[in-house]
Amino acid sequence: MQRSTATPRTRRFARALPLLATVVVAAGPAAAEDFPLPPLPNEAQVYPAVVPIPTPQHDPWYADPEDFSAYANGDVIRSRVVQTYALGIPVPVHTTQLLLRSTDTHDNPLATATTVLMPGIPWLGPGARPLISYQEAIDSLGQQCNPSYTLRAGIQKEVALIGQFLAAGAAVVVTDFDGKDNTIMSPSEGRMVLDGIRAAQRAGLGLEASPVGLWGYSGGGNSSASAAEQRQHYAPELTIRGSAQGGIPGDKVAIAPFAISGQQPQANFTGWLAILGLAREYPDFDRALQRYLTPEGKRVAEDLRERCLYTAVATAFLRPVTDYLTDPEAALEAARPGLTAASFGRPENTPDIPLLMWHSTTDQLLPAELAIDDIVAGYCARGVNLRMFRVPMSEHISAEIVPELGTVAWLLAVTAGADPGPRVC
């Protein structure tokens, strides 16, 4: 009888497949009815049964320091060497996790994690090994959804794309840019990205002189764009040579009515995640939101509180936000200050690095005419070093995949010192 070569970790994943299948099957009824019994479990409930490491909520390594004043932004609070996995299989890269100090939108200190991946092959290009700051589309409200956990757990949904940078010999830093509170879409995303880069270069990993590039799509594109806009004021010492950022919800004031309206059921989750994430960053909006949410709306918000992307989509699919607000127009007006602060394109935040941007011409989640066209026009008017690619015959997901190889190649080349190419305007 042939002996199984499966590792204990792989066998645990195999045993968990029926539970995961139950979650997927439950997604349909959970989205179609108002909280059927039993409700769709969230990832904070599922992952402990699947993954043999504690979730961040139960891992003391993530604890805040006793005194934040002992650390500057980007300083390392503590570090550890861990193993990166992909579906239970160890990935052959050296992985160091760093807990670092950053700040929120209101300049309050916070601690978040970043993960530095070092390939075991040399960098054969010119100069020092590049450092790619990779921003995953986290799009989630629970700590267990952040990449510092999912990379260790083997459930990182973008690990194959990260691997393209590693295969070229670049180091990669992947930051929990929504923090422990998962304040989605807030301006603090860009600050945490920049401080994650600082931490990677201060951690004694040989990356002190590395030129830096930013890559992100959708929610990851949002945080990359936020970092690109804030770099010159927040972290001017960082040598960031370019940012590849696609599928961005740039004008959040313009996109908000669409996102909460239910016009496109696939987009319902974006409205819920945005308002709940921003409410965590802006207490005034949070108080207003509690006034305008119906009792059923408060139940939906509470149900979403710990969800990751997939079960959030299932929960919100047939639940447009407007159906759960007593006065949608008043709620949008209460959200306007936060939406404005989180939007891109203000003259004082004009990026001063080369940009490669792309967006689907028929994006069902983020229509370009609402999400990004005015931002691009403003960048052009102010002379930003920009190239913009419109992805035809696509939707939101395929618009990431189709130009993927080209965006990776562009960023690697530009980070290594190549000319970024002709501008779009």
Side-chain angles (χ1 to χ4, degrees):
M1 176 174 164
Q2 186 176 4
R3 184 177 180 180
S4 172
T5 59
T7 66
R9 190 182 185 100
T10 304
R11 288 194 293 271
R12 185 161 184 165
F13 270 91
R15 289 196 300 270
L17 286 177
L19 176 59
L20 292 176
T22 300
V23 170
V24 173
V25 171
E33 302 174 16
D34 277 340
F35 293 93
L37 296 176
L40 175 66
N42 66 42
E43 289 81 354
Q45 298 164 322
V46 173
Y47 288 170
V50 179
V51 182
I53 59 173
T55 56
Q57 299 92 321
H58 301 100
D59 187 343
W61 185 85
Y62 288 88
D64 289 353
E66 293 184 3
D67 183 10
F68 271 113
S69 66
Y71 302 92
N73 290 333
D75 279 356
V76 177
I77 298 168
R78 65 182 67 97
S79 65
R80 62 183 178 185
V81 175
V82 299
Q83 177 64 58
T84 294
Y85 288 89
L87 296 177
I89 301 172
V91 178
V93 294
H94 186 273
T95 306
T96 305
Q97 290 194 327
L98 312 170
L99 191 75
L100 59 111
R101 177 195 157 126
S102 188
T103 57
D104 67 13
T105 304
H106 313 291
D107 295 323
N108 299 311
L110 59 84
T112 193
T114 197
T115 305
V116 184
L117 307 170
M118 294 285 290
I121 59 176
W123 167 250
L124 300 179
R129 186 192 296 269
L131 176 63
I132 301 300
S133 180
Y134 185 95
Q135 282 64 252
E136 177 205 357
I138 300 172
D139 297 345
S140 304
L141 292 167
Q143 285 189 60
Q144 74 284 349
C145 320
N146 290 334
S148 65
Y149 176 76
T150 60
L151 283 164
R152 294 180 66 208
I155 49 178
Q156 220 308 319
K157 62 183 182 297
E158 298 180 23
V159 69
L161 210 159
I162 294 171
Q164 294 185 40
F165 292 106
L166 295 168
V172 178
V173 56
V174 190
T175 299
D176 294 0
F177 57 74
D178 285 321
K180 290 188 283 187
D181 290 332
N182 285 77
T183 52
I184 302 172
M185 300 294 175
S186 73
S188 59
E189 286 192 344
R191 294 184 171 195
M192 285 185 251
V193 167
L194 294 168
D195 284 327
I197 296 167
R198 283 169 161 164
Q201 295 192 314
R202 295 175 187 175
L205 300 174
L207 301 171
E208 296 82 357
S210 292
V212 179
L214 307 171
W215 197 99
Y217 184 81
S218 192
N222 187 82
S223 56
S224 298
S226 181
E229 286 205 342
Q230 295 188 66
R231 187 211 67 84
Q232 60 181 315
H233 303 302
Y234 187 80
E237 81 282 5
L238 293 180
T239 305
I240 300 179
R241 292 184 173 172
S243 180
Q245 49 193 53
I248 300 169
D251 189 338
K252 296 172 181 62
V253 175
I255 198 71
F258 170 83
I260 71 170
S261 68
Q263 295 178 50
Q264 172 54 262
Q266 295 178 59
N268 286 342
F269 80 97
T270 65
W272 281 106
L273 295 182
I275 65 169
L276 296 176
L278 285 174
R280 294 177 178 183
E281 186 82 353
Y282 295 100
D284 289 345
F285 173 49
D286 186 36
R287 286 188 286 271
L289 182 62
Q290 295 308 311
R291 289 200 306 270
Y292 292 118
L293 280 172
T294 65
E296 293 80 7
K298 291 178 181 179
R299 289 175 60 200
V300 176
E302 176 61 23
D303 183 78
L304 288 167
R305 186 170 58 87
E306 295 255 25
R307 291 199 182 279
C308 300
L309 175 62
Y310 299 121
T311 66
V313 171
T315 297
F317 184 73
L318 297 179
R319 295 184 171 105
V321 179
T322 50
D323 287 358
Y324 298 87
L325 295 171
T326 59
D327 189 338
E329 290 187 8
L332 278 177
E333 189 59 33
R336 181 178 289 273
L339 294 168
T340 300
S343 294
F344 304 128
R346 294 193 300 279
E348 65 270 23
N349 287 338
T350 300
D352 63 347
I353 61 175
L355 303 181
L356 171 63
M357 297 176 65
W358 69 100
H359 207 100
S360 169
T361 58
T362 50
D363 195 313
Q364 83 281 22
L365 302 185
L366 302 170
E369 64 273 16
L370 299 174
I372 202 65
D373 285 355
D374 285 349
I375 308 300
V376 170
Y379 281 174
C380 285
R382 294 192 296 278
V384 173
N385 188 348
L386 169 68
R387 57 259 343 117
M388 177 73 183
F389 178 61
R390 309 282 180 168
V391 186
M393 300 177 64
S394 62
E395 42 71 62
H396 189 73
I397 302 303
S398 60
E400 175 185 13
I401 298 170
V402 170
E404 179 182 299
L405 293 177
T407 63
V408 169
W410 180 87
L411 187 60
L412 284 168
V414 169
T415 305
D419 187 292
R423 303 185 184 194
V424 71
C425 49

